Amino acid sequence: MPFRFLDHTADVLVEVDAPTFEELLAEAGRALFAAMLDLERVSPVVQTFFSVSGKDEADLLYNFLEELLVYKDADALAFSRFDVTVDRSNGLKADVVAEGERITPDHNPRADVKAISWHDFRVWRDENGWHARILFDV
């Protein structure tokens, strides 16, 4: 399973695993929206293009997730698919195509993630691929 929710007393804690860093970003984005609504009900009818940068992989993942929250809060968009390309030639930058639709009651909204917390935030790579531990502030 690319992501799994872990027990947490007040917020939503998730661990994400992926073979590549690009897929880690995509799965973390899916986990973010799965924490808030029924992801299987989100159709990829709208495409949104954006870029984010970071000083390292953790910073880039954090900025990516924060950008997704901006689209959720400003445009009421939920995304279920991501195509991510990471460019390391001049710093660290991700170009993202996010696909989804406007949030409706049909998506069975649950918790509203307000922010990504730096508390217990971690990104690492090992022989099994890339991993992240993320706390969503609800």
Side-chain angles (χ1 to χ4, degrees), residues 8-132:
H8 193 273
T9 54
D11 294 312
V12 178
L13 181 62
V14 64
E15 283 191 349
V16 184
D17 304 305
T20 67
F21 184 63
E22 288 83 356
E23 290 174 86
L24 184 77
L25 291 169
E27 287 304 323
R30 289 177 47 80
L32 173 64
F33 286 102
M36 294 187 279
L37 44 78
D38 185 350
L39 193 62
E40 299 303 317
R41 292 178 175 246
V42 177
S43 298
V45 296
V46 173
Q47 281 192 333
T48 300
F49 304 87
F50 63 91
S51 296
V52 291
S53 59
K55 64 181 188 287
D56 57 26
E57 285 85 357
D59 192 48
L60 182 62
L61 174 58
Y62 183 91
N63 293 340
F64 167 74
L65 293 170
E66 282 287 320
E67 187 72 13
L68 294 177
L69 287 180
V70 169
Y71 283 105
K72 186 259 307 176
D73 291 335
D75 301 325
L77 289 175
F79 300 110
S80 58
R81 291 187 190 169
F82 301 91
D83 181 23
V84 180
T85 304
V86 174
D87 181 2
R88 297 172 185 271
S89 64
N90 189 19
L92 195 57
K93 178 181 150 197
D95 294 318
V96 180
V97 179
E99 297 179 345
E101 65 182 330
R102 290 184 61 80
I103 298 169
T104 69
D106 292 339
H107 297 126
N108 297 326
R110 302 188 261 272
D112 182 30
V113 175
K114 294 172 180 47
I116 310 305
S117 176
W118 275 111
H119 177 74
D120 209 18
F121 191 91
R122 188 171 162 223
V123 175
W124 71 99
R125 184 180 185 187
D126 63 20
E127 66 277 358
N128 297 314
W130 285 90
H131 313 278

